[in-house]
Amino acid sequence: DTAVSQTPKYLVTQMGNDKSIKCEQNLGHDTMYWYKQDSKKFLKIMFSYNNKELIINETVPNRFSPKSPDKAHLNLHINSLELGDSAVYFCASSPANGASGEQFFGPGTRLTVL
Amino acid sequence: AQKVTQAQTEISVVEKEDVTLDCVYETRDTTYYLFWYKQPPSGELVFLIRRNSFDEQNEISGRYSWNFQKSTSSFNFTITASQVVDSAVYFCALSDYKLSFGAGTTVTVRA
């Protein structure tokens, strides 16, 4: 059973398009996250939701909009894609809000913007 | 602001050598958590260990061991008798209310 799943695994698209990445966790966790890993492997948090409420919103362009229809899902929609958006996007979940929980990561979605 | 520094960008060793990965962190909080994650060439992020700021006991798990020293704000990771399968990027991370990752150390183990 996959704990944290993401779709699609690969996404290739043209500049200016709008795309979504879906994330689902079956662990019963309350908190979910989106991270971006750039070409230099640097990992940075983008958003965090706890029980469908946004709790962390780092300095991310407002072209990125997370949506949490329920606590098991956290989707990421990106408008007007730019070349610099090319990266691997990881979804993660943890059992509790705050510092202590180990985060379980999805397999990542590699986004390539041409 | 919290910060995690992994000064070693890349380490290359021959199989069976030991390798130590350094991690130095900065935080103003008294309660925090430290993590190590492994990212093999396949790309997934694998949790290795969590340590809270009140527990300075060193830990050993098989060939892996961790040395947490609050006095020097360090949380170093040693792989003993390295194997080719240990080749990966290793990330140290610090959490107060969010997880901040270091830049990662790429470990290459040659046969």
Side-chain angles (χ1 to χ4, degrees):
Chain A
D1 281 347
T2 304
V4 182
S5 59
Q6 295 178 228
T7 53
K9 190 166 172 60
Y10 300 96
L11 186 51
V12 181
T13 188
Q14 300 286 333
M15 253 189 341
N17 283 350
D18 303 338
K19 289 293 177 186
S20 291
I21 307 172
K22 295 186 176 180
C23 178
E24 176 180 2
Q25 53 97 2
N26 62 7
L27 298 166
H29 289 168
D30 286 336
T31 308
M32 295 184 73
Y33 310 81
W34 276 109
Y35 289 85
K36 178 180 180 180
Q37 186 174 41
D38 64 22
S39 58
K40 295 183 179 175
K41 297 284 189 181
F42 190 65
L43 268 162
K44 190 168 163 48
I45 191 167
M46 300 172 69
F47 301 104
S48 172
Y49 269 73
N50 179 255
N51 242 330
K52 302 194 297 173
E53 284 191 33
L54 181 66
I55 53 170
I56 294 175
N57 184 351
E58 292 293 290
T59 312
V60 176
N62 57 15
R63 298 182 295 104
F64 289 78
S65 51
K67 290 266 187 333
S68 181
D70 55 62
K71 74 173 195 177
H73 295 84
L74 180 61
N75 304 324
L76 183 65
H77 188 76
I78 316 170
N79 289 328
S80 304
L81 278 154
E82 300 177 356
L83 293 175
D85 298 332
S86 295
V88 180
Y89 292 84
F90 286 96
C91 178
S93 73
S94 67
N97 187 17
S100 63
E102 168 199 341
Q103 293 189 20
F104 295 79
F105 284 82
T109 295
R110 182 174 294 277
L111 171 65
T112 304
V113 183
L114 304 174
Chain B
Q2 57 182 17
K3 187 178 171 183
V4 178
T5 301
Q6 294 180 255
Q8 304 144 309
T9 308
E10 294 183 27
I11 300 176
S12 181
V13 297
V14 176
E15 226 175 2
K16 297 186 185 174
E17 285 183 7
D18 297 347
V19 56
T20 295
L21 311 181
D22 298 333
C23 173
V24 174
Y25 62 92
E26 292 175 35
T27 181
R28 292 183 178 183
D29 295 312
T30 54
T31 302
Y32 53 88
Y33 292 79
L34 295 162
F35 299 81
W36 276 94
Y37 282 85
K38 174 182 179 180
Q39 187 173 38
S42 50
E44 72 272 24
L45 283 158
V46 179
F47 166 82
L48 295 178
I49 191 171
R50 177 185 63 193
R51 174 65 76 231
N52 75 53
S53 51
F54 299 107
D55 181 4
E56 286 195 70
Q57 266 195 319
N58 291 332
E59 179 149 345
I60 298 174
S61 175
R63 295 183 297 106
Y64 294 170
S65 61
W66 291 269
N67 180 270
F68 176 29
Q69 293 199 340
K70 220 165 166 178
S71 59
T72 55
S73 297
S74 65
F75 187 42
N76 297 337
F77 171 34
T78 298
I79 304 172
T80 302
S82 61
Q83 299 176 1
V84 172
V85 292
D86 296 326
S87 296
V89 182
Y90 291 87
F91 293 96
C92 181
L94 166 68
S95 181
D96 45 22
Y97 74 98
K98 65 175 184 181
L99 202 58
S100 295
F101 285 87
T105 299
T106 300
V107 173
T108 303
V109 182
R110 308 185 310 276

